[in-house]
Structures are given as structure tokens and as C-alpha cells.
Amino acid sequence: IKAEERQDNGETGKKGLLDGVPQAMPALLQADEIVERVGRVRFDQLTKMGDMAAIRETLKELEKANPETLAIRMGELLLGIASFAHAHEVGVEDALREALNRFRARFDRMESDALAEGKALVDLSDDEKAARWAAAGQTDNEDA
């Protein structure tokens, strides 16, 4: 039926495996979908990128990257992490969103505590910020 619909719409030829993955989709979701689809045909390059040893190697390459290759290495690392997450049935978009929510809550606690004492974060030393960050994290540990 889908093939007939495509033919009726003037589309010819068979679509590629990745053609149905919208490029406008958020990149992490796109990575997860692509890992899923290439896995269906047992193409394991992305699976290999998601191997912990490969992720460690990519991290080493990232540390040595020059400004011209930094974005390339970062993209490879993110794709490897997305592949690792997929293999462990972790939704990368949800995992990142949850991590951001935890960061925001902790940062907000740190900032609120400073403001309650009449201090702005920008005026604190790095050591004071680190101590406040650690104190704000204690609430996370108590809640868990």
C-alpha cells in the first residue's frame, strides 16, 4: 500500500533505509533512530562506535583535536554515546533532559542560597562557588 501511495505521489524507486529519518529531528533522537535502523540490517559500525573502548579512544582523540577537527571528534563522541545508550535501552534525549533538569535544580539551589545571603554568584571566588555547588548537591543525595 505504501509503495502504491508513493507511486501515486510521483515518487519512484525504493527509498533508502535512512530516508524516513527526518533531518529536522533533534540530533540525539536522529542518532537513536539511525542506530536502530542500521542495526536492522546488521550493519555494526555504529555499534562499534558505542563500545566503551571506542568511546575512550574517541575521548583521547578529542583531547588532541585541533580547532579544525574538534567539532568532528565531538560529533563522533556524541554518536558513540548515543549508540552506547541505544544498546542499553536508554533514551538519549530523555537522559540528557533529565540531567539538565537535575543540573538546573542544583544550580538554582546554589544561586538561591547565595542570594539569600545577599551575594551574587558572579562576585564569589571559584572556591566559594565550588563549596556552594557541593552543598547544593547534598540536597540531591538526601532526596535520593
Side-chain angles (χ1 to χ4, degrees), residues 2-139:
K2 289 286 187 185
E4 288 176 14
E5 287 175 0
R6 282 193 285 272
Q7 190 173 17
D8 291 343
N9 291 329
E11 296 177 31
T12 58
K14 182 168 172 53
K15 285 192 162 228
L17 187 63
L18 303 181
D19 287 345
V21 180
Q23 291 186 344
M25 178 186 279
L28 286 173
L29 289 176
Q30 202 177 139
D32 190 52
E33 182 64 23
I34 289 173
V35 169
E36 171 70 27
R37 287 181 182 216
V38 300
R40 291 180 202 160
V41 295
R42 294 187 287 283
F43 181 76
D44 65 351
Q45 188 59 41
L46 289 178
T47 302
K48 289 177 183 177
M49 287 178 75
D51 179 74
M52 194 52 74
I55 290 172
R56 285 188 194 99
E57 184 61 33
T58 304
L59 276 170
K60 289 178 188 174
E61 291 173 9
L62 184 64
E63 288 179 325
K64 296 184 266 182
N66 60 45
E68 292 80 31
T69 60
L70 184 63
I72 293 168
R73 298 295 169 251
M74 182 61 69
E76 290 170 351
L77 176 63
L78 291 169
L79 187 53
I81 290 170
S83 179
F84 179 86
H86 182 84
H88 292 87
E89 298 180 359
V90 173
V92 287
E93 191 75 22
D94 293 336
L96 180 56
R97 185 171 283 106
E98 180 59 33
L100 287 168
N101 288 339
R102 285 191 313 276
F103 176 88
R104 288 178 69 126
R106 186 172 176 180
F107 187 87
D108 288 346
R109 281 192 301 275
M110 180 181 82
E111 187 175 39
S112 294
D113 291 347
L115 290 172
E117 295 174 17
K119 298 178 181 180
L121 289 181
V122 70
D123 296 329
L124 300 178
S125 71
D126 289 345
D127 288 341
E128 289 173 305
K129 289 176 195 167
R132 287 181 181 279
W133 180 255
Q138 292 302 314
T139 306

